[in-house]
Amino acid sequence: MRDPRYDILFEPLAIGPVTAKNRFYQVPHCNGGGYRDPSAAAAMRGIKSEGGWGVVFTEQCEMHHTSEITPFIELRLWEDKDIPMLAKMAGKMKEHGALAGIQLAYSGINGPNLYTKEVPRAVSPGPIRTFTNDPVQARALSKGEIKDLRRWFVNAAKRSKAAGFDLICLYGAHGFGIFQHFLSRATNMRDDEYGGSLENRSRFAREVIADMREAVGDTMGITLRVSLDETIGDLGFSNAEVRDFVEMNKDLPDLWDLAHGTWEDCSGPSRFKEEAAQEALVKGIRELSSKPVVGVGRFTSPDVMARMIRQGTLDAIGCARPSIADPFLPKKVEEGRIDDIRECIGCNICITGDMTMSISRCTQNPTFMEEWRKGWHPERMNAKGASQSVLVVGSGPAGLEATRALAERGYDVALAEAGTTLGGRVARERLLPGLSAWGRVADYREYQISQKPNVQSYFDSELDAESILEFGFEHVCLATGAKWRRDGVSRQHVVPMPMDDSTPIYTPDDIMDGKRPSGHVVIYDDDHYYMGGVLAELLRQEGCEVTIVTPSAYLSDWTVNTLEQHTIHKRLAEMGVEIVLNRGVTRIGKGHVVTNCTYTDRTSELGCDAVVVVASKLESNQVYADLKARETDWADAGIKTVKIIGDAEAPGPIAWATYAGHRYARELDGEDIGDALPFRREITELAAE
Ligand code: ADP
Ligand code: SF4
């Protein structure tokens, strides 16, 4: 039964001529699949509809071939040929009563046109602004071309209508959409009627919306997504100017969709941004217009959501990541199942799918983007197979997810953990600076498991091959994790590096075990994800003098993909951590390390009191090896299969481990598929000639 406190979240909301059934609004978000994997993306959106969202949007859809953002893979609506693919998506969105929305993007100064080879057109000329710093400049749109662009928007609106969408979102946020480029003085230097005063800079948005309304406004709602603050000071589209713009154009769109600054600002990870972080920027804007307002803020708590609406800050709760982590969030609120909500942890792994042009994953929801490829549903497991009992060894993210999902299928599961808490690496990493929300990976699963009569958890139970053979479970799943290496082996060193034992050397595991260096600490980071930077932050906070040395050109290099590299560098620099880039460590000597330049190999000594080595990880796979060595004893022990999963098989980010756990549970007792591909794949149809 729904808690009456949340009734307000279930009131319908009119958006122009259409009405959303509730206030749960899935704002546009990328998924790394886009035009390459349209059926996978469509099925993913369909699951959101099934999960109760009142509004479900596509990701950004490039609406004309003269502006595209290759290498990033989004959607395209360039010609009628694109309609069937988008119609499939809209159909899936509407299957369970959500309004189907499409986000139309013309990228302007943000689109390098690497695929179409068209000369980029922007509001004013200038170098293309992307993550990839392409050596390409855009030229200014002529007035005639602005007219063309208006017509192209109308064409795209008509095609969107033909595809069955109910809502159009015009993209003018995150620095990505041309509406913002017109509005901001940083990208609009025009001296005609489209530049200069705010009124002039608003002209394009007013014209396009008027054109569209005439074309499709009788049946479609038109929303405008603008940045709450361009965060580049007064020259940009500041929060004050956003407010002036809304006031000046009170009833312009049917709904205001407000999103913070750059994408990095808007989708900040939990390490740096709290839930509802944009509240101050959005507060009061609703009073400037008679149209409803939607805003985002990694909302996972229905209390915060209800408060946003009750106090009049927002009319609808915009969610991207929370809807990825739990597509059934609205349903769970409606059914009074608050404890079952799988809360987003704010790790931004989902975003890496887009940034690496692969396909997205979610740490919390391993079924994300596998709804069509593998037929995985986020709330329903496949039926139980022929066997009955499974022993899961290790309760990290892999073991926990395997246990949860196996129990859901109906197996009797014994979970053995060597330590005294569930969670494995997550139980340890959640105590590091900024990572407390990551603990939700364990919390969610621990609660789910506690509700299952068919799971028994055993603590202080470090199992070996002998004891596992004695137990006689039908299936053994080894999720025994991995340990950080002490010998420096990673990318720079493929064999152990020379180390003088008289210098204290620590691994991340040592630090997480509570051991501490003192004085001047050198952190050698050849891992390149978050751990080196997080430990630098911790040790600096605790008073050490910290120098972090990395062979990469960027600190915490891979976090470019989680949109936090900039913030990490800024934070550490401001804390007084010395950051040494483009240098490796060739050896650890007595009271110093020898560093080398990655380009010239020139070396120099750096004095220190201790070294923290953040290299690669070593799989904890001894039990697996011992069991494999005794394979002939399995049948007598009643064991049918032994598998190793997660970090114990091959270390990776937490999302890789939850995926491995889920996959194990799905595939247990499954048919042998031989050499067949383990997922469905979409292939571009060959043209007739
Ligand atoms: P993953 O990320 O693959 O889930 P973790 O390193 O997070 O791996 O978790 C592994 C867990 O397995 C740890 O909690 C560890 O204590 C536990 N573990 C490792 N070896 C054994 C063992 N032989 N018996 C029981 N538990 C084990
Ligand atoms: Fe949230 Fe991380 Fe999942 Fe993205 S990958 S939705 S940030 S839990």
Side-chain angles (χ1 to χ4, degrees):
M1 277 293 287
R2 180 164 94 208
D3 185 325
R5 278 183 302 169
Y6 308 137
D7 286 353
I8 201 166
L9 295 169
F10 292 88
E11 287 172 9
L13 178 70
I15 309 170
V18 293
T19 301
K21 65 177 175 183
N22 62 34
R23 306 303 176 100
F24 294 94
Y25 194 107
Q26 184 246 275
V27 290
H29 69 72
C30 59
N31 50 68
Y35 63 77
R36 188 196 52 210
D37 296 282
S39 295
M44 177 269 288
R45 303 294 179 195
I47 289 286
K48 310 269 192 115
S49 179
E50 191 187 336
W53 296 83
V55 172
V56 179
F57 263 94
T58 62
E59 63 270 43
Q60 85 174 72
C61 180
E62 296 165 351
M63 48 69 73
H64 198 263
H65 72 275
T66 53
S67 195
E68 46 93 6
I69 59 166
T70 304
F72 301 98
I73 301 175
E74 317 297 328
L75 290 171
R76 287 175 177 162
L77 181 49
W78 293 351
E79 51 185 330
D80 289 348
K81 258 174 148 173
D82 293 306
I83 295 175
M85 177 261 282
L86 288 164
K88 182 171 183 175
M89 207 160 293
K92 286 281 172 200
M93 291 167 170
K94 290 160 78 154
E95 229 165 45
H96 296 272
L99 291 180
I102 182 167
Q103 183 179 48
L104 298 181
Y106 192 87
S107 303
I109 200 78
N110 185 244
N113 293 353
L114 302 177
Y115 176 75
T116 59
K117 302 185 183 175
E118 295 286 346
V119 174
R121 302 165 190 202
V123 178
S124 292
I128 294 298
R129 299 157 165 247
T130 60
F131 294 105
T132 42
N133 286 329
D134 305 290
V136 178
Q137 297 201 186
R139 67 166 172 78
L141 287 153
S142 69
K143 280 219 258 180
E145 286 168 340
I146 291 180
K147 253 200 190 134
D148 292 340
L149 186 49
R150 285 172 56 184
R151 191 178 62 256
W152 297 339
F153 267 108
V154 168
N155 291 345
K158 288 180 179 162
R159 288 186 176 121
S160 302
K161 181 172 171 167
F165 288 98
D166 306 298
L167 293 169
I168 289 175
C169 168
L170 298 174
Y171 201 10
H174 304 146
F176 294 160
I178 195 139
F179 295 93
Q180 179 177 338
H181 306 158
F182 269 103
L183 287 166
S184 166
R185 280 167 294 165
T187 41
N188 183 347
M189 277 97 180
R190 299 181 74 98
D191 53 13
D192 58 11
E193 66 268 35
Y194 290 97
S197 67
L198 180 59
E199 193 181 349
N200 279 357
R201 283 179 278 132
S202 315
R203 188 178 310 278
F204 181 71
R206 281 202 307 274
E207 288 177 346
V208 170
I209 291 177
D211 296 345
M212 274 194 175
R213 217 170 244 136
E214 203 182 310
V216 299
D218 53 336
T219 59
M220 297 184 83
I222 299 165
T223 79
L224 180 61
R225 187 158 224 214
V226 287
S227 277
L228 278 164
D229 191 331
E230 205 178 351
T231 56
I232 54 169
D234 283 347
L235 185 64
F237 196 43
S238 65
N239 191 249
E241 210 173 28
V242 170
R243 285 166 197 264
D244 292 345
F245 168 68
V246 173
E247 201 167 14
M248 186 185 284
N249 298 283
K250 275 187 190 323
D251 300 330
L252 183 59
D254 295 317
L255 171 142
W256 296 100
D257 179 347
L258 304 172
H260 188 28
T262 60
W263 193 18
E264 290 89 330
D265 293 323
C266 193
S267 296
S270 56
R271 186 170 166 192
F272 300 109
K273 297 239 181 201
E274 296 292 318
E275 181 172 5
Q278 302 175 28
E279 187 173 355
L281 286 170
V282 81
K283 214 174 182 148
I285 294 187
R286 187 172 170 269
E287 281 124 55
L288 305 175
S289 163
S290 58
K291 301 296 179 167
V293 167
V294 64
V296 290
R298 202 166 36 77
F299 295 115
T300 58
S301 148
D303 289 309
V304 177
M305 296 178 187
R307 176 171 67 78
M308 287 292 148
I309 295 187
R310 204 173 302 116
Q311 71 190 18
T313 307
L314 300 174
D315 295 285
I317 304 301
C319 293
R321 290 170 293 172
S323 76
I324 292 172
D326 196 342
F328 275 62
L329 191 154
K331 265 251 156 75
K332 289 175 183 174
V333 178
E334 186 163 28
E335 292 170 359
R337 296 166 51 215
I338 305 301
D339 291 336
D340 287 333
I341 294 174
R342 199 168 41 243
E343 287 184 287
C344 166
I345 69 165
C347 61
N348 283 3
I349 281 291
C350 47
I351 290 167
T352 70
D354 190 57
M355 296 294 285
T356 59
M357 304 110 206
S358 46
I359 200 159
S360 288
R361 305 177 179 247
C362 169
T363 303
Q364 279 286 58
N365 173 14
T367 68
F368 181 56
M369 291 308 281
E370 301 300 342
E371 301 86 350
W372 180 83
R373 294 208 314 173
K374 293 201 157 182
W376 290 0
H377 189 280
E379 298 297 312
R380 279 195 301 277
M381 292 296 294
N382 38 335
K384 190 175 136 307
S387 43
Q388 192 56 40
S389 66
V390 188
L391 169 66
V392 176
V393 185
S395 72
L400 275 181
E401 174 61 14
T403 302
R404 184 203 68 78
L406 285 165
E408 196 76 44
R409 280 187 73 186
Y411 289 94
D412 294 330
V413 190
L415 173 61
E417 167 54 50
T420 52
T421 47
L422 297 180
R425 61 183 286 186
V426 165
R428 292 150 66 79
E429 292 181 29
R430 72 188 302 173
L431 304 175
L432 295 171
L435 303 189
S436 65
W438 291 19
R440 292 170 174 180
V441 172
D443 296 343
Y444 165 73
R445 291 172 175 82
E446 189 167 356
Y447 174 74
Q448 293 300 317
I449 288 170
S450 76
Q451 302 303 297
K452 304 262 186 260
N454 49 337
V455 178
Q456 296 296 322
S457 302
Y458 300 94
F459 296 96
D460 287 320
S461 304
E462 180 157 4
L463 303 187
D464 55 17
E466 188 59 42
S467 51
I468 292 170
L469 283 164
E470 274 166 27
F471 290 137
F473 285 89
E474 288 171 88
H475 301 282
V476 179
C477 171
L478 295 163
T480 43
K483 294 265 181 285
W484 288 93
R485 295 183 76 123
R486 189 176 297 274
D487 58 11
V489 170
S490 188
R491 294 177 169 93
Q492 182 181 6
H493 298 279
V494 292
V495 295
M497 70 194 277
M499 294 176 173
D500 187 317
D501 285 346
S502 63
T503 301
I505 294 167
Y506 297 81
T507 67
D509 285 317
D510 294 332
I511 307 287
M512 288 189 278
D513 284 341
K515 295 180 190 140
R516 286 293 184 272
S518 59
H520 180 203
V521 181
V522 167
I523 298 177
Y524 168 51
D525 183 5
D526 199 18
D527 167 59
H528 309 286
Y529 191 18
Y530 57 89
M531 186 55 82
V534 167
L535 294 185
E537 191 172 337
L538 174 76
L539 296 176
R540 183 74 196 124
Q541 262 173 17
E542 293 183 355
C544 293
E545 186 191 334
V546 179
T547 304
I548 183 162
V549 179
T550 176
S552 173
Y554 294 94
L555 178 66
S556 300
D557 195 343
W558 202 73
T559 63
V560 168
N561 298 311
T562 48
L563 304 182
E564 57 190 324
Q565 193 280 329
H566 184 95
T567 320
I568 293 171
H569 190 119
K570 180 168 183 271
R571 164 146 324 164
L572 294 194
E574 284 173 355
M575 288 177 88
V577 171
E578 195 185 339
I579 299 165
V580 179
L581 304 174
N582 297 315
R583 291 194 83 82
V585 171
T586 58
R587 67 184 176 84
I588 300 174
K590 190 176 165 61
H592 69 271
V593 296
V594 177
T595 69
N596 67 321
C597 170
T598 10
Y599 298 105
T600 63
D601 209 25
R602 240 175 257 152
T603 58
S604 58
E605 276 189 18
L606 175 62
C608 61
D609 300 305
V611 181
V612 178
V613 177
V614 187
S616 61
K617 289 180 182 171
L618 207 54
E619 307 81 4
S620 303
N621 54 13
Q622 192 57 49
V623 179
Y624 180 69
D626 294 346
L627 278 172
K628 282 298 265 188
R630 295 183 61 181
E631 202 157 347
T632 46
D633 298 338
W634 292 6
D636 284 350
I639 294 175
K640 290 181 186 153
T641 66
V642 175
K643 278 206 155 194
I644 184 163
I645 65 165
D647 286 339
E649 184 185 18
I654 297 164
W656 273 241
T658 49
Y659 180 85
H662 195 87
R663 181 176 185 180
Y664 175 83
R666 287 271 175 192
E667 293 180 355
L668 189 73
D669 283 334
E671 271 174 42
D672 183 355
I673 61 164
D675 291 342
L677 205 64
F679 56 89
R680 281 206 282 177
R681 185 166 153 250
E682 204 143 37
I683 297 187
T684 310
E685 204 179 318
L686 278 182
E689 54 179 86

